[in-house]
């Protein structure tokens, strides 16, 4: 092993209410659920949601969660040429479902794949989640 990082396997985030977190990440954002049966049998301390080949582990906790300045960036696939309109429509649906969308969203941001339309929303624990069109 040469010690060079080549990819990301998963990220783990603490959540106050697993069902509420799953409603956001799976129900509203459409991320497939993984490892629910392993969690319920006590084999693992999380339920995962998938973002392509990467997982976000939702780890329930009774401790206070300080999300501070951290955020999670999730890529959205777009079939449209003008992805801004598509993202704005999705944000309207999220607002209607009670999700907090930060003021002034969306706008173009720089990331791993260059500049693209993106918007910050808040998950049920108040964590910033950046939704970026790719």
């Amino acid at each position: 092993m040469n010690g060079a990082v080549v990819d990301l396997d998963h990220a783990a985030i603490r959540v106050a209410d697993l069902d509420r977190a799953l409603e956001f990440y799976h129900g509203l954002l459409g991320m497939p659920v993984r490892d629910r049966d392993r969690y319920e049998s006590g084999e693992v301390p999380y339920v995962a949601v998938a973002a392509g080949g990467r997982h976000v582990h939702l780890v329930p906790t009774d401790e206070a969660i300080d999300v501070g300045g951290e955020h999670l960036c999730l890529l959205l696939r777009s079939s449209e040429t003008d992805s801004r309109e598509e993202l704005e429509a999705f944000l309207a649906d999220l607002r209607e479902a009670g999700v907090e969308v930060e003021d002034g969203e969306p706008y173009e941001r720089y990331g791993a794949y260059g500049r693209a339309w993106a918007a910050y929303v808040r998950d049920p624990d108040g964590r910033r989640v950046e939704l970026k069109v790719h």
Side-chain angles (χ1 to χ4, degrees):
M1 173 178 9
N2 65 10
V5 174
V6 296
D7 206 343
L8 179 71
D9 184 88
H10 73 274
I13 60 174
R14 296 177 306 145
V15 298
D17 183 317
L18 180 59
D19 290 331
R20 197 174 65 169
L22 285 169
E23 175 56 31
F24 177 77
Y25 289 100
H26 172 67
L28 295 174
L29 300 185
M31 298 172 74
V33 176
R34 303 284 188 263
D35 300 318
R36 181 83 190 234
D37 54 339
R38 293 176 65 213
Y39 169 76
E40 289 173 355
S41 72
E43 187 178 341
V44 295
Y46 60 83
V47 173
V49 288
R54 314 306 170 256
H55 287 187
V56 176
H57 293 178
L58 306 176
V59 183
T61 183
D62 292 329
E63 297 174 10
I65 299 172
D66 178 10
V67 295
E70 70 183 41
H71 80 274
L72 183 64
C73 182
L74 301 172
L75 293 176
L76 306 172
R77 290 278 182 220
S78 175
S79 59
E80 302 294 322
T81 303
D82 184 4
S83 57
R84 180 181 182 162
E85 288 181 14
E86 191 175 14
L87 180 56
E88 286 176 343
F90 185 53
L91 294 176
D93 291 343
L94 292 177
R95 281 186 186 99
E96 188 173 309
V99 173
E100 178 187 347
V101 177
E102 292 188 7
D103 291 339
E105 298 295 348
Y107 64 89
E108 287 185 300
R109 290 184 176 84
Y110 184 76
Y113 297 97
R115 294 187 67 77
W117 285 103
Y120 279 111
V121 301
R122 297 287 176 149
D123 80 0
D125 290 300
R127 180 178 294 102
R128 292 178 92 196
V129 176
E130 182 180 354
L131 302 175
K132 180 172 282 201
V133 177
H134 173 65

